[in-house]
Amino acid sequence: MSTVWLEMPKQRPTAAKPQRRDPVATRQKLLTAARREFAKSGLAGARVDEIAARAGVNKQLVYHYFGDKDALYLAVLEWVYEEIRAQERTLNLEGLPPEQAIRKLIESSFDHLALHPDFIVLLNDENRNGARHVRASLRIEDMHSPLVSMVSKILKQGVRTGTFRSGVDPVHLYISIAGLSYFFFSNTPTLSAIFGKDLSSPTARRARRKHVVDLVMQALRP
Amino acid sequence: MSTVWLEMPKQRPTAAKPQRRDPVATRQKLLTAARREFAKSGLAGARVDEIAARAGVNKQLVYHYFGDKDALYLAVLEWVYEEIRAQERTLNLEGLPPEQAIRKLIESSFDHLALHPDFIVLLNDENRNGARHVRASLRIEDMHSPLVSMVSKILKQGVRTGTFRSGVDPVHLYISIAGLSYFFFSNTPTLSAIFGKDLSSPTARRARRKHVVDLVMQALRP
Amino acid sequence: MSTVWLEMPKQRPTAAKPQRRDPVATRQKLLTAARREFAKSGLAGARVDEIAARAGVNKQLVYHYFGDKDALYLAVLEWVYEEIRAQERTLNLEGLPPEQAIRKLIESSFDHLALHPDFIVLLNDENRNGARHVRASLRIEDMHSPLVSMVSKILKQGVRTGTFRSGVDPVHLYISIAGLSYFFFSNTPTLSAIFGKDLSSPTARRARRKHVVDLVMQALRP
Amino acid sequence: MSTVWLEMPKQRPTAAKPQRRDPVATRQKLLTAARREFAKSGLAGARVDEIAARAGVNKQLVYHYFGDKDALYLAVLEWVYEEIRAQERTLNLEGLPPEQAIRKLIESSFDHLALHPDFIVLLNDENRNGARHVRASLRIEDMHSPLVSMVSKILKQGVRTGTFRSGVDPVHLYISIAGLSYFFFSNTPTLSAIFGKDLSSPTARRARRKHVVDLVMQALRP
DNA sequence: AATGAATGAGTTTTCATTCAT
DNA sequence: TATGAATGAAAACTCATTCAT
C-alpha cells in the first residue's frame, strides 16, 4: 500500500547544507499541504493561506507553481488518482484463481480507502461539481483503470470453472465493490451518530471488511 | 415518495389584497432555496446572498428565521432526514414475505436517492466535518431509523423460513443496501468520466437498480 | 460655470439629527472621492481602499453601489461629461453676433478646463484604452454635444455677414478650440519643465487664454 | 523621421556560435518592450513581468540594467524626448522663407505624433504626476528645444518681411502648434465616439493636417 | 415581518522586488 | 550576464453578519 504522499521530499544526497532553494521539494510540500487542506475543508472551504502556511512557504508560490487554487486542486486530484492506479498495478490478480482474485480485489479496495481517507473527501467535492476537473484532465484520462477488463476476465474464468454464477456485469460489480467500502468510510460519522455506535473503531472496521467480502463472495456463488 | 421540497411556495389564499407578510411561506421559501444552494455548493461554498435571492426575500430574513448560516444548514439537514424517515414509514414491510420485504427496501432506497440527489451532497458535507450538526441535533437523534430492527426481524424470519442464509449482520446489511445505491449516485460524474460511459441516463439507472437488487438478493441466499 | 461636484450632498432639511443612513449621500460621497482619486492616479493607479477612505465609508459600499472599480470609473466619466454638457447648455450662443459667439465659446471652453483640471486626466486615461467606457455608455452617447452644429451655424452666419472667411470645417474648428486649451492644461508640468517657465501661474494662464482667443479669431478673419 | 524604436533588436553579428550574452541588445530589447508596455498601460498599469516577457528575457534583468520600474520609465521618457529632438534637428528651418519654415514646422510636428503615438501616452502619464521624471532628468534638461528661439527668429523675420503680423508670442505659438496636433491624436478615441465619426482613418488624418496648417497660417497673416 | 444600508474581517490574486545559483 | 525561486506588501473583491428604518 503506497504511502508515498506522506514522505518528506528527498534531500539531495550530496548537498552538505540544507538547500534553501529546492523547487521540487517546494512543489511537493505545497502539494502535500494542499491535499490535507482540501481533504479537511473541501475545495471551497480550503484556504490558500492555510496551504502555504502548512507547507511553510510563501503564499505566492502556490500561484508560481500551480497558477491558481483550482489548478492546485486538480494537481491534488491527479495525485490521488495516480496513487490508486499505482496501487492497483501492484495487485497482480492475473495468476490467481478467480475466487482469490476477487477477494483480494475487495480487500485491497477496502484497505486503500482505510489508508487514504482523504481520497473520499476529494472525490466527493469533485463529484458535486460534475467532475469538472477530472473531465478536463488529460492525465487522469490516461489513467483509465485496467481493473474493469480484469474483473471481466476473472468473472468469465470463474463462470467457466463453475466458481461464479453468470450474468454479473463487471462494471457494476466493480462499482459495487468500491461502493460497499466507500460509503462506509465516507459516511462513518453520520452512520455512527444515527446508529449510536462507533463505526470508526478498528473492530468495527474489521467487521465491515469481513461483511463486504462475504457479501460479494456470496452474491457471486452460482 | 414525498416531493414536498419540489413544491412551489404556498399560494396566497383568498385574501383580496395580496398578503405581503407570510412568515410560514417565507420560512419555507428560504428553506427550499437553502436546500438547493447547499446541495449545489456545499456548506462552505453556499452563499447567503444567493439563498436569499433564490427565495426572493431579503437576506436579513435568513438571520431572522434561522439565526445564522450554520443553523440554516442544520434545518435543511433535519428536513431531508425527516423526509427519508417519512418515506421509510410508508414502506409497511411487516406484512410482506422476507424476500419481498428486502427487495422492496432495496428498491425504495435506490429510488429515494434517485429522486433526491441533494440528499447525498448534503450528507457528504456533513460527514466531512464529522457529523457536527447531526450529532448536535436532538430532532435527528429522535429520528433513529426503525429500519435496522425491522431488517433484523426480516432476516430472522427469512432464516427461519429457509429463504435467507444466516450470519448476516443487519446493521451492515442496511449499510450495504444504502451504499450500493449511494455510491452510484454520489459518484456518477467521476465514474462516467473514468469509464467513458454515461451513467446518468435512465437506462444506466435501470441497469444499476437491477444489479443492486440482484447482488443483495443473491448474497442472502442460503 | 458649474461647481456642482464640489458641493456636499444636501442634508435632508427636516432631519434633526444627522442621518446615519443616507444612500444618496453615500453614493455621492463615493463618486466625489472616486473622481479625485481617479484624477490623481488614473484608473490603474487609483485605489479602491483610498476612495472608500476619502469618502469616509466602508469599502464594500463601492461594490454595493457600483459593482466594481471599472463601473465606478464609468460613473465618474458620465458625471464629468454631463457637467461639461450642462455648462455648454448655459452658453446661449444663438442670439450673439458671430464674433462674440465664437469668442465666448473659446473662453468658456478654456475656463471649464481651468476649473475642472480632473476632466483632462480622466479623459487621457479613457483615450489610452480606446474610449472603452465612453463607447459602452448609453448615457454618454445620449449626450452628443449640440455645439458642433451650433459652431456650424455661427460660421455660416459669420461668412454671410463678412466676419469670417469661408472654408473652415466646424468639427475641426471645434477640436482646435478644445485642443488649444486642453494641451496647455494637460501638459503644463512638462512644458513648464522644458521651457523653464512656470505655466501654472494665474499670469501665465491669462496670457494663454488671450493667445488662444487671438489665434482663433485671427485665423477666422476673411 | 526616426523609426529606431520599431526596429528589431540587433541581429547577432557573424559569430559562429550564437552569442548568449549581449548586454547592449538585452538592454535595448528591454527598453523597446518597456516603451510599448508603458504606452499601452501607463506607468501604474504597466507590468514588469509583461515587459520582461515581451523582451524575452528574465525579469531580474530589468533591475539589473535599470534599477527599478520607475527608472526604466525615465529611460523610456528620455528616449522619446531624444527622438523628438533628433527629429527637430533635421528640420533645417533656418534657410527657409518664414512662411515655408512655419509650415514645415507644423507638418513635421503633426507627422511625428502620427508616427509615434506612444509619445503622447507616455507624456500624459508624466504630466499627471507633475513631470516628476522629466524634472529630475538631467539628460532631458539638456535637451531644451532650440525650436522656441528658432520660432522667435522666424516670426521676427516674417514680421520684417511683412509676411506675419506682429504680437505673436513664440512660446505660445509653439504650444499651439503642438496642441493642435497633440489633442487630435491624444483624444481620437473619445472624439470619434462623441462625434460618431472615425477620426483615425488616413482620410481623417489628412483633413486634420490640412486644417491645422491652414489655421495657423491664417492666424499669422498680418 | 421585512428591507436595504452598512460593516469588518477575510480571500484570492497580483506585483514589484530581492535572493541564490 | 542571466535565470528562476522566493518574498512581503498590497490589491480587488467577497461574505457572513449587524444596524436602522
Side-chain angles (χ1 to χ4, degrees):
Chain A
M1 222 95 327
S2 87
T3 53
V4 167
W5 73 281
L6 288 169
E7 289 170 22
M8 282 295 92
K10 279 93 183 167
Q11 298 291 335
R12 293 214 207 129
T14 52
K17 55 182 172 183
Q19 294 259 158
R20 295 288 316 274
R21 321 187 64 189
D22 188 340
V24 177
T26 300
R27 213 191 114 98
Q28 186 55 37
K29 275 192 289 183
L30 276 168
L31 215 42
T32 304
R35 179 170 179 161
R36 295 197 181 160
E37 174 71 1
F38 282 130
K40 190 181 66 121
S41 311
L43 175 53
R47 298 297 162 232
V48 175
D49 268 308
E50 181 62 24
I51 291 171
R54 269 181 205 249
V57 304
N58 187 279
K59 179 173 42 163
Q60 159 62 5
L61 293 187
V62 169
Y63 299 91
H64 188 275
Y65 283 107
F66 297 96
D68 62 8
K69 188 186 178 183
D70 224 58
L72 176 56
Y73 183 70
L74 172 56
V76 169
L77 273 180
E78 288 176 340
W79 182 15
V80 297
Y81 265 106
E82 170 53 43
E83 201 169 85
I84 208 164
R85 293 294 168 257
Q87 184 257 359
E88 287 174 350
R89 279 193 297 272
T90 68
L91 286 179
N92 279 92
L93 302 178
E94 270 116 11
L96 301 175
E99 204 173 341
Q100 273 187 46
I102 290 291
R103 179 182 298 272
K104 189 174 181 187
L105 175 61
I106 301 169
E107 289 174 344
S108 64
S109 177
F110 187 94
D111 294 340
H112 187 83
L113 292 178
L115 224 74
H116 302 294
D118 50 5
F119 180 60
I120 287 169
V121 182
L122 291 164
L123 270 209
N124 282 348
D125 245 40
E126 179 64 4
N127 277 295
R128 180 173 55 216
N129 56 43
R132 181 161 52 94
H133 303 86
V134 166
R135 280 186 295 147
S137 167
L138 298 174
R139 285 190 52 199
I140 293 178
E141 199 172 51
D142 286 348
M143 288 188 235
H144 276 305
S145 174
L147 278 195
V148 171
S149 62
M150 188 168 303
V151 167
S152 183
K153 248 183 274 176
I154 295 168
L155 278 177
K156 275 178 198 150
Q157 196 193 341
V159 171
R160 214 164 38 234
T161 61
T163 321
F164 295 151
R165 67 180 171 95
S166 65
V168 177
D169 180 83
V171 167
H172 279 291
L173 178 60
Y174 182 75
I175 294 177
S176 293
I177 289 172
L180 287 166
S181 300
Y182 190 100
F183 178 73
F184 173 74
F185 286 110
S186 161
N187 291 40
T188 293
T190 51
L191 292 172
S192 296
I194 296 290
F195 293 140
K197 183 177 173 182
D198 178 19
L199 295 174
S200 64
S201 71
T203 312
R205 284 194 175 187
R206 261 194 306 275
R208 178 69 195 169
R209 192 175 188 265
K210 187 173 176 324
H211 169 88
V212 172
V213 172
D214 282 357
L215 190 87
V216 177
M217 297 316 292
Q218 294 295 331
L220 291 180
R221 282 173 299 159
Chain B
M1 221 99 325
S2 87
T3 53
V4 166
W5 72 280
L6 287 168
E7 287 172 21
M8 283 294 92
K10 278 92 186 168
Q11 299 293 330
R12 299 181 214 103
T14 48
K17 205 206 293 187
Q19 202 174 325
R20 298 283 319 268
R21 305 187 160 192
D22 186 342
V24 177
T26 299
R27 211 191 114 97
Q28 184 56 37
K29 274 192 289 184
L30 275 169
L31 214 45
T32 303
R35 179 171 178 161
R36 295 201 181 159
E37 173 72 359
F38 283 131
K40 191 181 66 119
S41 311
L43 174 52
R47 300 296 163 230
V48 176
D49 269 302
E50 181 62 23
I51 292 171
R54 271 181 203 248
V57 304
N58 188 274
K59 181 171 44 161
Q60 164 64 8
L61 294 187
V62 169
Y63 298 90
H64 187 271
Y65 282 108
F66 297 95
D68 62 8
K69 187 186 178 184
D70 225 58
L72 176 56
Y73 184 70
L74 173 56
V76 169
L77 273 180
E78 288 175 340
W79 181 15
V80 296
Y81 265 107
E82 170 51 43
E83 203 169 82
I84 208 165
R85 293 294 167 257
Q87 184 257 356
E88 287 174 350
R89 280 194 297 272
T90 69
L91 285 179
N92 280 94
L93 302 178
E94 272 111 7
L96 300 176
E99 204 174 341
Q100 273 187 46
I102 290 291
R103 178 183 298 273
K104 191 174 181 187
L105 175 62
I106 301 168
E107 289 175 345
S108 64
S109 176
F110 187 94
D111 293 340
H112 187 81
L113 292 179
L115 225 72
H116 302 296
D118 50 5
F119 180 60
I120 287 169
V121 182
L122 292 164
L123 272 209
N124 282 348
D125 242 40
E126 179 64 4
N127 277 295
R128 181 174 52 215
N129 56 43
R132 180 160 55 93
H133 303 85
V134 166
R135 279 186 295 147
S137 167
L138 298 175
R139 286 189 53 199
I140 293 179
E141 199 170 55
D142 285 348
M143 286 189 237
H144 277 306
S145 172
L147 278 194
V148 170
S149 61
M150 188 169 303
V151 167
S152 183
K153 247 183 276 177
I154 296 169
L155 277 178
K156 274 178 198 150
Q157 194 193 342
V159 170
R160 214 164 38 234
T161 61
T163 321
F164 296 151
R165 66 182 173 95
S166 65
V168 177
D169 180 84
V171 167
H172 279 291
L173 179 60
Y174 183 76
I175 294 177
S176 293
I177 289 172
L180 286 167
S181 299
Y182 191 100
F183 177 74
F184 173 75
F185 285 110
S186 161
N187 291 40
T188 292
T190 51
L191 292 172
S192 295
I194 295 290
F195 292 142
K197 185 177 171 181
D198 179 20
L199 296 174
S200 64
S201 71
T203 312
R205 285 196 174 185
R206 260 192 306 274
R208 178 70 196 170
R209 192 175 189 264
K210 186 172 177 323
H211 169 89
V212 172
V213 173
D214 281 357
L215 190 89
V216 177
M217 298 316 293
Q218 295 294 332
L220 292 179
R221 281 172 299 159
Chain C
M1 222 95 326
S2 87
T3 52
V4 167
W5 72 278
L6 287 168
E7 289 170 21
M8 281 295 92
K10 279 93 184 166
Q11 298 290 333
R12 294 214 207 133
T14 52
K17 55 183 171 180
Q19 294 258 157
R20 295 288 317 273
R21 320 188 65 190
D22 188 341
V24 177
T26 300
R27 214 191 112 97
Q28 185 55 38
K29 275 193 289 184
L30 277 170
L31 215 44
T32 304
R35 180 172 177 159
R36 295 197 181 161
E37 174 72 359
F38 283 132
K40 191 180 65 120
S41 312
L43 174 53
R47 299 296 162 232
V48 175
D49 268 306
E50 181 63 22
I51 292 171
R54 269 181 204 247
V57 304
N58 188 279
K59 179 173 43 163
Q60 158 61 5
L61 293 187
V62 168
Y63 300 93
H64 188 275
Y65 283 108
F66 297 95
D68 62 8
K69 188 187 179 183
D70 224 58
L72 176 55
Y73 183 71
L74 173 56
V76 169
L77 273 181
E78 288 176 340
W79 182 14
V80 296
Y81 264 106
E82 172 50 45
E83 201 169 84
I84 209 165
R85 293 293 168 258
Q87 184 258 358
E88 287 174 351
R89 279 194 297 271
T90 68
L91 286 180
N92 278 93
L93 303 179
E94 270 113 9
L96 301 176
E99 206 174 338
Q100 273 187 47
I102 290 291
R103 180 182 297 273
K104 190 173 181 186
L105 176 61
I106 301 168
E107 289 174 345
S108 64
S109 176
F110 187 95
D111 293 340
H112 187 83
L113 293 178
L115 225 73
H116 302 296
D118 50 4
F119 180 60
I120 287 168
V121 183
L122 291 164
L123 272 209
N124 282 349
D125 245 38
E126 179 64 4
N127 277 296
R128 179 173 55 217
N129 58 42
R132 181 160 54 93
H133 303 85
V134 167
R135 280 186 296 147
S137 168
L138 298 174
R139 285 189 53 201
I140 293 179
E141 198 172 52
D142 285 348
M143 287 189 235
H144 278 305
S145 173
L147 278 195
V148 170
S149 61
M150 188 168 302
V151 166
S152 182
K153 248 184 276 176
I154 296 169
L155 277 178
K156 274 179 198 150
Q157 195 192 342
V159 170
R160 214 165 37 237
T161 61
T163 321
F164 296 152
R165 66 181 172 93
S166 65
V168 177
D169 181 82
V171 167
H172 278 292
L173 178 61
Y174 183 75
I175 294 177
S176 292
I177 289 172
L180 287 166
S181 299
Y182 190 100
F183 178 72
F184 173 74
F185 285 111
S186 161
N187 291 41
T188 292
T190 51
L191 291 172
S192 295
I194 296 289
F195 293 141
K197 185 177 172 182
D198 179 19
L199 295 173
S200 65
S201 71
T203 313
R205 283 193 177 187
R206 260 194 304 276
R208 178 67 195 171
R209 192 174 189 265
K210 188 171 175 323
H211 169 89
V212 172
V213 172
D214 282 358
L215 190 88
V216 176
M217 297 316 293
Q218 294 294 330
L220 291 180
R221 281 172 301 157
Chain D
M1 221 101 321
S2 87
T3 53
V4 167
W5 73 281
L6 287 167
E7 288 170 21
M8 283 293 94
K10 277 91 187 167
Q11 300 292 332
R12 299 182 214 102
T14 47
K17 206 207 290 185
Q19 201 174 325
R20 298 284 319 269
R21 305 187 161 193
D22 186 342
V24 177
T26 300
R27 212 190 114 97
Q28 185 56 36
K29 274 192 289 185
L30 276 169
L31 214 45
T32 303
R35 180 172 178 159
R36 296 201 178 157
E37 173 72 0
F38 283 130
K40 191 180 66 117
S41 311
L43 174 53
R47 299 296 162 230
V48 176
D49 269 302
E50 181 63 23
I51 291 171
R54 271 181 203 247
V57 304
N58 189 273
K59 181 170 45 161
Q60 163 64 8
L61 294 187
V62 168
Y63 299 90
H64 188 271
Y65 282 109
F66 297 95
D68 62 9
K69 188 187 178 183
D70 225 59
L72 176 56
Y73 184 70
L74 174 56
V76 169
L77 273 180
E78 288 175 340
W79 181 15
V80 297
Y81 265 106
E82 171 51 44
E83 202 168 82
I84 207 166
R85 292 295 168 256
Q87 184 258 357
E88 286 174 350
R89 278 194 297 273
T90 68
L91 285 180
N92 280 93
L93 302 179
E94 271 112 9
L96 301 175
E99 204 173 340
Q100 273 188 45
I102 290 292
R103 179 182 297 272
K104 190 174 182 187
L105 176 61
I106 300 169
E107 290 174 345
S108 64
S109 176
F110 187 94
D111 293 340
H112 187 81
L113 292 179
L115 225 73
H116 301 294
D118 50 4
F119 180 60
I120 287 169
V121 182
L122 292 164
L123 272 209
N124 282 349
D125 243 40
E126 179 65 2
N127 277 296
R128 180 173 55 216
N129 57 44
R132 180 159 55 91
H133 303 86
V134 167
R135 281 187 293 147
S137 167
L138 298 174
R139 286 188 53 198
I140 293 179
E141 200 172 52
D142 286 349
M143 288 189 235
H144 275 305
S145 173
L147 277 196
V148 169
S149 60
M150 188 170 303
V151 166
S152 185
K153 247 183 275 175
I154 295 169
L155 277 178
K156 273 179 199 150
Q157 195 193 340
V159 170
R160 214 164 39 236
T161 61
T163 320
F164 296 150
R165 66 181 173 94
S166 64
V168 176
D169 181 84
V171 167
H172 278 292
L173 179 60
Y174 183 74
I175 293 177
S176 293
I177 288 172
L180 286 167
S181 299
Y182 191 99
F183 178 73
F184 173 75
F185 285 110
S186 162
N187 290 41
T188 292
T190 50
L191 292 172
S192 295
I194 295 289
F195 292 141
K197 185 178 171 179
D198 179 19
L199 295 173
S200 65
S201 71
T203 312
R205 285 195 175 185
R206 261 194 304 275
R208 179 68 195 169
R209 192 175 189 263
K210 186 171 177 325
H211 169 89
V212 171
V213 172
D214 281 358
L215 190 89
V216 176
M217 297 316 292
Q218 294 293 332
L220 292 179
R221 280 173 299 158

